[in-house]
Every structure is written in structure tokens, then in C-alpha cells.
């Protein structure tokens, strides 16, 4: 069984790494948005894209998460990465894009990139390796552009190749590095403060240029030429709707043809409006949503109680009732979503299925010295076990899931109280560890490392009351987990890396630093009235979400409907 992506090992352009996914379910859950549809006539070469992300400021800086180009996803139509990844099939090889080929050394501290011959910037300037070298030097010198804190050492150009060296192994950051959007040196080098530059006239190597911008709608038009052949879509119109309801209405009536928005009743409000052409696909990556437990304080400083909670939670109910079946169900006790996680499973967990089992939870608690008086669970000291669950107001899927969890905990005598907070207050509580238990998502990446590191990295530990925005919200500390994470990230031995990943799976199952509940989807709604060729279960060539880095790959494959 191959657990790691195919090694660099002087091989070229064969890295099986998937795109880093920052779970954009946040926008869909929170229900931002603004604007109204400006959809054009049908069949005129226009593709109408929508997101419920509120009126946008005129900012097309591709490196800033707050820019309109990132929020709506159109940066992927203007700027291009070195390689294209399939985020829902992480075992697949990455495809060369602006890099014709690349080569890692044995310990992943050196990367040599060969620039693609043929791309041209939209202002007519030739693309070259100098642009690649400049971009990485820019990221190295601009902390705001280096969110993953990649330890760049040297950036050197030699003809059509660029050599990058790093202070430590970058095995776990291959996707982030090769997925970097490349910008033109002749434009960006003129900016004194690139981290605040609004980049209102973006120049990229992609097949589209920005035509018009309003806070509600951004229009991109197709260039006259493109190095890979022109797409059939002549114009892209991105509309930012006021909220989830407005976005859903636009999808239902056809004004919006491509979006990602949470629909609690998607069958009746969307699919049934046009069963022949309205489609929805929510595949998973290697990230999850789950119940984060504060392991630094009672009652969840006890692994036995954490195991009992994991055993009694009904994940099927959460999948169906809270997330309307849109967030894929989790079956494996390791938390790895399937099928994306299958290549990484430890042998003892292959074919394993996790199911709610209140009797097993009670047996776990009995063995650990817990007792029950009436309907109340007592800890080994004789104190009643109570839990405060917190959730963000307005996030109906999370609140429904927490209500289900509260009922589940009641089956083993735990009194759970659900308290809602404003989204901002909730995020602060999560970062500061000021909770007993709460739902939150994990990071996702080309391997399960990102998910497990986000949950249990002791290097991100902060005492309750101190912010930990990078992860480990549950304040988990385990030297075995830290050692396994370090080995996975730094070793050049595939066998050691495989065993380290297996150890992380065992720790999550046996010590339960967090309880995975549903897989993190990278989903979308799409309309086949005018355009066909979308990724789906029969052709899963990439995640369908319009804000993902592979969105350009989707548009390049679309064909006008007959």
C-alpha cells in the first residue's frame, strides 16, 4: 500500500500531491453576500458564477485572502500555478502547468523548476523563469504572502530553471509551493507595498482579463490568445449575493449557473426546479468537521471520557439531519474521509466502520471509574459530568449538529448545555480555548498530515486564554503525536513516514483529541443548460467548487451544451 505521494527522488513532474484546501465552507455556513444578479442571455458564451460573499472591494491581489479575486475565485482565471492538482484524488499525479517539469532532492530541501515555454502575460510580455524566481522572492520577503511560513532559503535563476532551497524538509508543503500563483516581475516589482496593493488591473498568464468591476459583479473576458488553447467560455460574470437565500434563489431561477452555497433543503429549492439541468456534487478532500474537546481542563482532560463521547455520537444523524447529506459521511474511525483517504489508511483500520454505540460508551466509563446516579453521570470523584457546547449563531448546520450531540451525550448521563455566540465571539472563544466542546473544521491538504497536525500539534499549544489561531484548539499535548508529526514532515525514509502516519491514526482513535463528525466537502451547484463537462462522480477530475485553484481547469474543459 502506498501511503505517501510518489517521491520526488529525481523524478520529474510526478508528485502526487493535492491542492491545499482552505475549507471555504466557512463562507457558506456564515451566509455572507451582497448584490443582485446581472445574468446575460442564455447561450451567448457567458458563464454566470455566484457566491454569497457580500459586496466586494475592488481588490484583485491574488495573495490576499480578503481580496475579491480570492473571495469570488476569479484569481484562478487570471493567474496560474506551476502545477495543477486534484484535491479530491490526492494520490493522482500533479499535472505540469507553468512549470514544464520539476525535481525535488531526496530530503525535500531543494526544488528545481523548469519554466514552461510558450505562456505570455496578458499585456503581451513574454513569460519566463525570471517571473517564477521573482514571485518566490516576493513571497519570501513578504510575510503577508507566506501564510504557511515556508522557510525559503535561496531563490536562484539559471536560464529557464529556478532553484529553491529550504531550511528544512518541505515534503508536506509540496502542494503549497507548486500551487503558488505566479505574477509578472515587470508589474509587481514597481510596487513599493505589494502586501497592500489593490492590483485593480491584474495582468496574468491565464486566458481571461478583468473587464469591469462593481461591488456586486465582476466581469472577465476571454483573451485573443492563450498558450493552451482558448476556452469556449467567452465571458465570466461573478456576482456576489447578499446571503445564502439570495444565492439559492439565483441558482434556482438560472441567473447563477455555478456556485457553492449550503442548502438545507436542496432537493426542493434547487434540484426540483430543473431536474434535467440542476446538479449538485459535494465530494470530500482530506479534511473534516468535528467536535473539538478542550483537553486542557475538566471534563475532557480524561481520555476515557473522550473515547466514550466518540462512541456515543451518532454521525449518521449529523450527516443527514444537520448537513442535509451534503457533507459526506465519515465511516472510518481514523477520521480519514473516503475515498480520498483510502491510500493512507493503516492496515488495522482498513474496512473498519465507526457506529454509535451507547453500550460500549457506558462500558468504557464503567472501566474508568465513572458511576451513574439516576440519569446523571458521575466522574471518579463523584461529581456530575456537565458540558457546555458553544456554536456560532445563524449557522444552522452546526447548531443542529450540536443539538444532536447534546441528545447523544444525554444517553450516557452527561448534561450538555448549548450556548450560541456571535460568529466573531465564537471564533475568539475557539482561538482562546474558552470552551468545553465546539464544532469546527480542520485544515486539509495533499496528505492527512495537514488534518492531524491541525488537531494535535503540540507546537501550537497555548494555555487557555491565549490565542491559538493556527490550530490545536483543544490544547492537546502528546509527545508521541509530536514525534510522529515531526517524522512525517522531515524523514526521507518512506517506511518511517508511513509508520508515522499510522501512529497518528492510532492516537486519534485511542486518545481522541477531537471527534470527527463529517467530512469537509469541496462542493458546488452547477447548471448544464448552457455548459457541460463539469466534474462529477463519473469523472472526478477535480473538486467542483468555483473558488478552488483548479477552477480554471474546469472552465477549460467546459463545452457549450447542444
Amino acid at each position: 500500500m502506498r501511503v505517501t505521494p510518489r517521491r520526488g527522488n529525481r523524478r520529474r513532474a510526478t508528485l502526487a500531491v493535492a491542492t491545499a484546501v482552505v475549507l471555504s465552507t466557512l463562507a457558506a455556513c456564515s451566509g455572507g453576500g451582497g448584490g443582485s444578479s446581472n445574468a446575460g442571455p442564455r447561450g451567448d458564451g457567458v458563464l454566470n458564477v455566484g457566491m454569497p460573499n457580500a459586496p466586494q472591494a475592488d481588490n484583485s491581489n491574488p495573495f490576499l485572502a480578503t481580496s475579491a479575486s480570492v473571495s469570488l475565485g476569479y484569481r484562478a482565471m487570471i493567474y496560474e500555478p506551476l502545477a495543477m492538482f486534484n484535491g479530491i484524488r490526492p494520490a493522482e499525479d500533479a499535472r505540469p502547468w507553468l512549470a514544464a517539469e520539476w525535481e525535488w532532492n531526496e530530503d525535500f530541501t531543494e526544488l528545481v523548476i523548469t519554466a514552461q515555454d510558450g505562456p505570455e502575460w496578458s499585456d503581451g510580455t513574454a513569460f519566463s523563469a525570471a517571473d517564477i524566481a521573482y514571485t518566490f522572492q516576493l513571497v519570501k520577503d513578504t510575510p503577508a504572502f507566506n501564510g504557511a511560513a515556508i522557510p525559503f532559503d535561496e531563490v536562484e535563476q539559471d536560464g529557464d530553471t529556478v532553484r529553491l532551497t529550504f531550511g528544512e524538509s518541505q515534503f508536506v508543503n509540496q502542494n503549497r509551493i507548486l500551487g503558488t500563483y505566479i505574477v509578472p516581475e515587470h508589474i509587481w516589482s514597481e510596487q513599493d507595498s505589494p502586501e497592500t496593493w489593490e492590483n485593480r488591473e491584474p495582468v496574468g498568464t491565464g486566458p481571461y482579463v478583468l473587464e469591469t468591476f462593481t461591488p456586486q459583479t465582476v466581469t472577465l473576458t476571454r483573451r485573443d490568445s492563450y498558450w493552451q488553447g482558448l476556452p469556449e467560455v467567452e465571458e465570466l460574470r461573478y456576482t456576489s449575493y447578499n446571503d445564502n437565500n439570495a444565492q439559492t434563489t439565483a441558482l434556482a431561477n438560472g441567473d447563477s449557473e455555478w456556485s457553492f452555497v449550503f442548502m438545507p433543503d436542496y432537493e426542493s429549492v434547487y434540484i426540483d426546479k430543473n431536474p434535467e439541468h440542476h446538479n449538485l456534487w459535494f465530494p470530500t478532500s482530506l479534511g473534516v468537521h468535528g467536535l473539538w474537546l478542550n483537553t486542557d481542563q475538566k471534563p475532557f482532560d480524561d481520555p476515557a471520557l473522550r473515547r466514550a463521547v466518540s462512541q456515543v455520537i451518532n454521525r449518521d444523524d449529523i450527516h443527514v439531519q444537520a448537513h442535509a447529506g451534503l457533507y459526506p459521511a465519515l465511516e472510518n474511525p481514523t477520521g480519514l474521509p473516503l475515498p480520498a483517504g483510502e491510500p493512507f489508511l493503516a492496515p488495522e483500520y482498513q474496512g473498519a466502520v465507526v457506529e454509535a454505540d451507547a453500550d460500549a460508551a457506558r462500558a468504557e466509563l464503567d472501566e474508568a471509574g465513572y458511576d451513574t446516579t439516576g440519569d446523571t453521570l458521575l466522574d471518579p470523584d463523584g461529581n456530575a459530568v456537565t458540558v457546555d457546547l458553544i456554536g456560532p449563531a445563524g449557522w444552522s448546520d452546526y447548531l443542529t449538529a450540536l443539538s444532536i450531540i447534546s441528545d447523544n451525550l444525554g444517553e450516557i448521563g452527561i448534561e450538555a448545555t448549548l450556548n450560541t455566540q456571535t460568529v466573531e465571539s465564537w471564533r475568539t472563544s475557539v482561538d482562546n480555548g474558552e470552551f468545553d466542546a465546539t464544532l469546527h473544521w480542520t485544515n486539509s491538504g495533499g496528505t492527512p498530515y495537514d488534518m492531524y497536525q491541525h488537531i494535535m500539534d503540540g507546537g501550537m499549544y497555548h494555555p487557555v486564554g491565549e490565542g491559538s489561531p493556527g490550530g490545536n484548539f483543544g490544547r492537546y499535548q502528546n509527545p508521541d503525536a509530536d514525534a510522529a508529526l515531526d517524522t512525517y514532515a522531515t524523514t526521507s525514509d518512506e517506511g518511517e513516514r508511513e509508520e508515522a502516519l499510522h501512529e497518528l491514526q492510532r492516537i486519534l482513535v485511542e486518545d481522541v483529541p477531537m471527534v470527527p463528525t463529517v467530512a469537509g466537502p469541496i462542493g458546488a451547484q452547477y447548471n448544464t443548460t448552457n455548459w457541460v463537462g463539469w466534474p462529477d462522480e463519473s469523472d472526478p477530475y477535480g473538486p467542483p467548487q468555483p473558488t478552488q485553484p483548479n477552477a480554471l481547469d474546469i472552465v477549460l474543459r467546459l463545452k457549450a451544451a447542444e
Side-chain angles (χ1 to χ4, degrees):
M1 178 186 68
R2 294 193 65 87
V3 170
T4 58
R6 196 177 303 173
R7 292 279 309 283
N9 197 22
R10 317 309 288 177
R11 298 176 184 174
R12 297 177 181 269
T14 58
L15 295 177
V17 288
T19 181
V21 177
V22 176
L23 290 178
S24 54
T25 54
L26 176 62
C29 288
S30 59
S36 58
S37 173
N38 291 314
R42 308 294 90 180
D44 58 357
V46 176
L47 173 60
N48 292 284
V49 190
M51 287 296 290
N53 290 358
Q56 300 289 306
D58 192 352
N59 188 323
S60 295
N61 191 317
F63 298 116
L64 299 180
T66 55
S67 79
S69 70
V70 177
S71 175
L72 300 181
Y74 67 82
R75 68 170 173 178
M77 307 298 165
I78 297 173
Y79 296 100
E80 297 182 286
L82 296 171
M84 190 67 71
F85 312 100
N86 184 348
I88 58 174
R89 294 292 185 270
E92 290 184 0
D93 293 344
R95 289 185 288 130
W97 212 260
L98 286 185
E101 57 185 21
W102 57 86
E103 186 176 350
W104 288 95
N105 67 352
E106 287 290 337
D107 61 2
F108 295 91
T109 58
E110 178 183 281
L111 172 63
V112 177
I113 302 162
T114 302
Q116 193 75 252
D117 182 24
E120 186 179 82
W121 297 104
S122 57
D123 64 358
T125 305
F127 163 83
S128 73
D131 297 304
I132 298 175
Y134 171 79
T135 299
F136 282 111
Q137 189 66 48
L138 175 66
V139 173
K140 175 186 176 184
D141 296 340
T142 312
F145 294 171
N146 190 10
I150 294 172
F152 291 100
D153 189 1
E154 295 181 348
V155 179
E156 299 175 341
Q157 179 198 353
D158 182 11
D160 65 349
T161 65
V162 174
R163 174 177 171 270
L164 306 177
T165 59
F166 309 91
E168 58 190 38
S169 172
Q170 294 306 295
F171 176 81
V172 297
N173 284 323
Q174 296 171 74
N175 51 340
R176 293 185 175 94
I177 295 166
L178 291 168
T180 300
Y181 289 103
I182 305 303
V183 297
E185 179 183 19
H186 66 283
I187 300 291
W188 284 72
S189 61
E190 300 295 322
Q191 308 307 315
D192 294 331
S193 302
E195 67 276 10
T196 59
W197 185 39
E198 295 174 333
N199 189 29
R200 293 184 174 181
E201 298 179 1
V203 173
T205 56
Y208 295 94
V209 294
L210 194 155
E211 182 71 18
T212 61
F213 187 101
T214 72
Q216 287 75 37
T217 303
V218 181
T219 301
L220 307 186
T221 55
R222 191 178 64 187
R223 295 168 54 182
D224 293 334
S225 62
Y226 174 57
W227 65 281
Q228 296 195 81
L230 287 174
E232 287 194 18
V233 176
E234 299 176 17
E235 184 175 297
L236 288 158
R237 296 180 189 169
Y238 289 83
T239 300
S240 197
Y241 291 88
N242 283 328
D243 51 31
N244 286 4
N245 289 335
Q247 176 65 77
T248 298
T249 299
L251 284 165
N253 63 28
D255 285 344
S256 185
E257 299 172 277
W258 187 18
S259 181
F260 168 55
V261 61
F262 179 70
M263 296 178 178
D265 190 15
Y266 64 90
E267 289 283 356
S268 63
V269 302
Y270 176 59
I271 299 296
D272 291 348
K273 301 297 183 183
N274 189 342
E276 182 180 357
H277 297 296
H278 286 182
N279 297 273
L280 178 150
W281 187 43
F282 273 52
T284 183
S285 64
L286 290 174
V288 300
H289 294 249
L291 187 69
W292 293 69
L293 309 172
N294 194 327
T295 67
D296 212 21
Q297 62 188 25
K298 289 184 177 299
F300 293 125
D301 58 348
D302 183 0
L305 181 62
R306 300 199 297 265
R307 285 192 293 271
V309 168
S310 180
Q311 289 169 326
V312 78
I313 287 179
N314 193 317
R315 294 163 177 81
D316 287 339
D317 285 351
I318 293 173
H319 162 63
V320 174
Q321 298 175 26
H323 298 290
L326 294 178
Y327 290 21
L330 283 179
E331 299 178 353
N332 196 275
T334 64
L336 289 178
L338 305 179
E342 286 178 352
F344 306 98
L345 278 173
E348 62 262 43
Y349 298 121
Q350 293 181 11
V353 177
V354 60
E355 296 179 338
D357 190 341
D359 290 337
R362 295 187 191 101
E364 179 78 48
L365 294 170
D366 287 343
E367 185 176 350
Y370 287 77
D371 196 4
T372 302
T373 298
D375 295 329
T376 302
L377 180 68
L378 304 178
D379 68 19
D381 295 326
N383 301 311
V385 179
T386 62
V387 172
D388 285 332
L389 304 173
I390 66 168
W395 290 22
S396 59
D397 53 341
Y398 267 23
L399 298 182
T400 301
L402 288 169
S403 179
I404 292 170
I405 291 170
S406 177
D407 291 342
N408 296 156
L409 296 181
E411 295 179 42
I412 54 175
I414 298 176
E415 181 183 350
T417 303
L418 175 56
N419 297 303
T420 60
Q421 302 177 350
T422 66
V423 173
E424 183 178 357
S425 296
W426 170 75
R427 287 173 176 160
T428 300
S429 296
V430 171
D431 288 349
N432 292 342
E434 295 170 337
F435 62 90
D436 290 340
T438 187
L439 286 172
H440 200 282
W441 55 90
T442 69
N443 284 340
S444 175
T447 73
Y449 171 88
D450 297 82
M451 181 181 80
Y452 290 129
Q453 187 258 353
H454 196 213
I455 295 170
M456 61 180 84
D457 186 356
M460 293 190 294
Y461 172 82
H462 293 275
V464 172
E466 293 184 10
S468 180
N472 194 1
F473 305 125
R475 272 58 185 174
Y476 184 69
Q477 296 184 86
N478 184 332
D480 292 336
D482 293 341
L485 289 168
D486 182 69
T487 296
Y488 189 86
T490 62
T491 186
S492 58
D493 185 285
E494 287 197 29
E496 291 181 357
R497 183 175 291 115
E498 180 180 58
E499 177 53 33
L501 184 58
H502 294 173
E503 177 65 10
L504 291 169
Q505 294 173 45
R506 297 183 193 109
I507 291 172
L508 186 129
V509 173
E510 297 169 6
D511 212 34
V512 193
M514 183 267 252
V515 182
T517 54
V518 290
I522 317 178
Q525 294 87 5
Y526 59 90
N527 190 328
T528 59
T529 300
N530 298 308
W531 301 103
V532 296
W534 305 92
D536 58 21
E537 291 181 352
S538 65
D539 188 13
Y541 63 82
Q545 199 171 107
T547 57
Q548 290 296 305
N550 69 299
L552 173 59
D553 187 34
I554 294 175
V555 171
L556 290 175
R557 295 172 185 250
L558 294 182
K559 303 296 181 183
E562 293 294 335

